[in-house]
Amino acid sequence: MKFAFAGIDFLGGVFEALVAAGWQPIKLFSRPCDGIYDQNEAVVALARRHRVPIQLSRIRVADIEALSAEHGRDWALVVAGYPWLITGWPGRVRYALNIHPSPLPDGRGPYPLFRAVLDSYESWGVTAHVLAEEGFDTGDILAQDIFSLSGAETHETLLARCQMAAMRLARGPIARDLPALWRKAEPQGDGAYWPRVTDLDRSLDFRQPVAAILRRIRAFGTIETLARVNDNRIFVLEAHGWTEPHRHAPGAVVHAYRRHLLVAARDGYVQITRWSSVPLADADKMGR
């Protein structure tokens, strides 16, 4: 089947998996990326390898009509990690689907992985669903890949697991059985939309138990959490800790060795082992 892919490297493995399953790419829709948290180098390289056109602006009805004029209507628009709502596709393309990194209807929204770890979900998954024209991530479900989570899950492990699950969906049920899945797609029912996280969501509160603090650090991983230490704001990349009765005020630095900082929490200590200073301009924006 011919397909156009809309997304970035985050779930770019879907593009690669469909090609490996024998599907023919006809266009890449992506978006400008900052090269820090968002990248599209891999999908752009893949599109160039297959000599298909690349568009970095938002998909409009005219773009879908142009592809249908060239290839007919019997192709699929496959969306994975694309930020803009796509409308006007019914009647212009045979299939339009989104691959979303949550077990819908839970976890609708731009990036639900942080909260999956924060809220200690015992299982998670990736969902392929019909692309809805009203509301993000609300279309009928085509297929899901569900897996169990561990108590030590991190942002990075969950991201890798979602990427692998998305590729399994793409090269498995989507590549093999999309017409049949389309005919029997099931409505989601009630669900929850999870908005984009804020700096407050990323901030550590040392008045909390050690376990809750470490879970927040794991939930954001290389995206980093924020902490106030000795009246300074820092990015925290890695920390460890333990429970122990003490009389220190939460947030107090009780020990330091080289760049390792030991900070008192409500029921023990958190040792910050990898961190960097928040630039002054950024600290001012965050209410230093």
Side-chain angles (χ1 to χ4, degrees), residues 61-130:
V61 172
D63 301 314
I64 299 173
E65 289 177 336
L67 284 176
S68 293
E70 181 179 356
H71 299 281
R73 295 183 179 180
D74 196 19
W75 56 279
L77 174 60
V78 180
V79 181
Y82 191 74
W84 295 304
L85 192 65
I86 301 170
T87 61
W89 65 266
R92 295 181 172 91
V93 56
R94 180 82 61 191
Y95 308 107
L97 59 133
N98 181 45
I99 296 183
H100 184 70
S102 86
L104 292 174
D106 265 352
R108 295 171 181 159
Y111 197 81
L113 275 62
F114 301 131
R115 185 168 161 187
V117 179
L118 278 174
D119 290 356
S120 300
Y121 271 69
E122 294 182 355
S123 65
W124 197 247
V126 174
T127 304
H129 67 88
V130 176

Side-chain angles (χ1 to χ4, degrees), residues 72-220:
R73 295 183 179 180
D74 196 19
W75 56 279
L77 174 60
V78 180
V79 181
Y82 191 74
W84 295 304
L85 192 65
I86 301 170
T87 61
W89 65 266
R92 295 181 172 91
V93 56
R94 180 82 61 191
Y95 308 107
L97 59 133
N98 181 45
I99 296 183
H100 184 70
S102 86
L104 292 174
D106 265 352
R108 295 171 181 159
Y111 197 81
L113 275 62
F114 301 131
R115 185 168 161 187
V117 179
L118 278 174
D119 290 356
S120 300
Y121 271 69
E122 294 182 355
S123 65
W124 197 247
V126 174
T127 304
H129 67 88
V130 176
L131 196 63
E133 289 205 291
E134 296 183 4
F136 287 99
D137 312 317
T138 58
D140 293 354
I141 292 176
L142 299 166
Q144 290 185 310
D145 188 304
I146 306 297
F147 48 85
S148 298
L149 299 186
S150 77
E153 209 73 49
T154 68
H155 169 259
E156 280 64 45
T157 59
L158 182 54
L159 173 58
R161 298 180 74 179
C162 285
Q163 290 169 334
M164 293 171 68
M167 293 178 69
R168 287 195 297 268
L169 280 177
R171 67 173 177 261
I174 298 303
R176 292 195 307 260
D177 304 316
L178 181 56
L181 294 173
W182 196 265
R183 289 192 296 270
K184 60 182 182 181
E186 298 183 359
Q188 290 189 33
D190 294 335
Y193 181 87
W194 297 359
R196 190 175 299 278
V197 298
T198 65
D199 284 341
L200 182 60
D201 296 318
R202 294 170 59 201
S203 296
L204 302 181
D205 182 354
F206 292 104
R207 295 170 297 181
Q208 292 185 323
V210 170
I213 295 168
L214 296 181
R215 183 167 58 248
R216 189 168 301 272
I217 293 168
R218 292 198 311 273
F220 288 93

